[in-house]
Amino acid sequence: MDKMAGYVADDDLAIRPLAELGWKVDTVSWRDKKADWDDFEAVVIRTTWDYQLDPEAFLGVLKRIEASSARLDNPLKVVEWNLNKRYLREMELRGCPIVPTIWDGVYSEGEFDRWKTELAANELIIKPEISATAGHTYRLNSFDPELIPIFSKRQFMVQPFIPAIVTEGEYSLFYFGGEFSHAIVKIPASTDFRVQEEHGGKIIAVEPVEDLLAAGRSALSLIGEPLLYARVDLVRDAPGRFVLMELELIEPALYLRMDERAPTFFAEQFHERMNEL
């Protein structure tokens, strides 16, 4: 991003281990029209946390990078697939349990009541299909007419509110080069349901239990592409299963600070990936 004020990022922790492997790192805004991508051997997408404001321009930049001599990670086709949350429909068809979701809705009072019945939920989560950092994400127990202008102009998805989000938290598993690195749980502030730090969420390092690891491995295996980095966000549903909330393959916060080895492991996996060329 041009400006990171108000956001928490720790990607710089990987710069030293990358340097120890012979790599020089520059940080470039994706909006920098003067950037010459041929100057780089690789371009790694990181804190582009405003791309959802202009996704077509963002994809245009990635296409220019992909056409340059630099290697783009994660690759353009992965970003294009992951950009719209409809990828979750495909993951479900591949056999991955996801949070129940209604697509192609029209935001109206009558539809709202039908969604609650269909999802057997007293509270709903409504969010855009293209979004980041919980932008325009709402937790509702009744129809709010003030949201009509927001959801009349964009495609959105509807899900039941999962109580475990506030009682247990949302788990994130991190993978570098397809290998598990570390895990955290994100717990929202007492007055919120959003788990991001920007909204007051608390981040705790955890040692994942086996069924959580199994759910992460299963989701990752269904992507079908080798990736430099991936974050798998999971939550426990009412029956106690871990179900997929999100696959973060574009610009996920990697929380390198939450695991002592993670910055070095990321650098090693990047170095190994580049040596495969």
Side-chain angles (χ1 to χ4, degrees):
M1 299 172 66
D2 285 340
K3 299 177 181 178
M4 286 292 295
Y7 292 92
V8 180
D10 56 16
D11 293 332
D12 286 356
L13 292 175
I15 292 178
R16 180 173 178 178
L18 283 165
E20 291 171 351
L21 292 169
W23 294 96
K24 179 180 180 295
V25 178
D26 290 328
T27 301
V28 182
S29 170
W30 72 271
R31 296 182 183 272
D32 185 350
K33 299 187 185 313
K34 297 180 181 179
D36 185 347
W37 304 112
D38 286 321
D39 289 343
F40 301 91
E41 289 184 63
V43 178
V44 180
I45 306 168
R46 290 286 61 248
T47 55
T48 58
W49 292 335
D50 59 348
Y51 78 83
Q52 76 281 2
L53 303 178
D54 198 347
E56 290 306 314
F58 179 64
L59 289 175
V61 171
L62 299 190
K63 288 174 183 176
R64 290 196 292 277
I65 296 171
E66 189 111 315
S68 74
S69 59
R71 174 174 183 150
L72 177 64
D73 272 319
N74 281 327
L76 175 62
K77 64 179 179 179
V78 170
V79 174
E80 290 176 324
W81 178 75
N82 195 227
L83 188 78
N84 188 303
K85 297 186 193 303
R86 283 178 177 260
Y87 72 82
L88 288 167
R89 299 180 76 172
E90 194 170 331
M91 289 294 290
E92 185 176 29
L93 289 172
R94 294 175 186 179
C96 181
I98 70 169
V99 176
T101 305
I102 293 174
W103 310 89
D104 300 315
V106 176
Y107 187 75
S108 67
E109 190 165 8
E111 284 290 275
F112 191 93
D113 291 338
R114 184 181 66 81
W115 296 334
K116 290 179 73 172
T117 300
E118 185 173 333
L119 295 171
N122 292 322
E123 291 185 287
L124 301 178
I125 297 293
I126 302 180
K127 57 186 174 183
E129 290 182 4
I130 299 178
S131 66
T133 62
H136 288 304
T137 297
Y138 300 93
R139 175 185 175 183
L140 303 170
N141 57 23
S142 61
F143 180 74
D144 184 349
E146 293 187 6
L147 300 184
I148 292 175
I150 294 174
F151 291 118
S152 65
K153 298 177 182 178
R154 51 169 58 87
Q155 291 181 306
F156 61 91
M157 54 198 288
V158 183
Q159 297 176 323
F161 173 69
I162 305 295
I165 287 286
V166 295
T167 60
E168 183 178 3
E170 177 183 289
Y171 293 91
S172 290
L173 277 61
F174 301 88
Y175 301 84
F176 303 144
E179 300 294 327
F180 174 72
S181 172
H182 59 291
I184 61 171
V185 64
K186 298 170 287 185
I187 302 172
S190 59
T191 56
D192 209 323
F193 67 97
R194 296 167 297 181
V195 299
Q196 292 84 359
E197 288 171 285
E198 292 78 23
H199 302 297
K202 183 179 180 181
I203 312 301
I204 303 171
V206 295
E207 197 66 42
V209 296
E210 181 50 41
D211 54 344
L212 179 59
L213 283 172
R217 283 195 303 268
S218 177
L220 195 68
S221 71
L222 295 173
I223 298 171
E225 292 286 339
L227 304 170
L228 171 59
Y229 54 86
R231 194 180 91 198
V232 181
D233 293 341
L234 300 150
V235 64
R236 199 188 300 269
D237 67 6
R241 300 180 308 165
F242 286 107
V243 296
L244 182 66
M245 285 282 289
E246 295 269 5
L247 273 179
E248 296 280 4
L249 310 179
I250 302 175
E251 34 54 90
L254 298 178
Y255 293 96
L256 299 178
R257 68 186 183 278
M258 302 304 294
D259 183 85
E260 185 177 0
R261 172 157 165 70
T264 298
F265 187 46
F266 176 85
E268 290 171 347
Q269 292 297 91
F270 169 82
H271 186 68
E272 182 176 328
R273 190 169 169 88
M274 291 300 294
N275 284 336
E276 292 172 354
L277 293 176

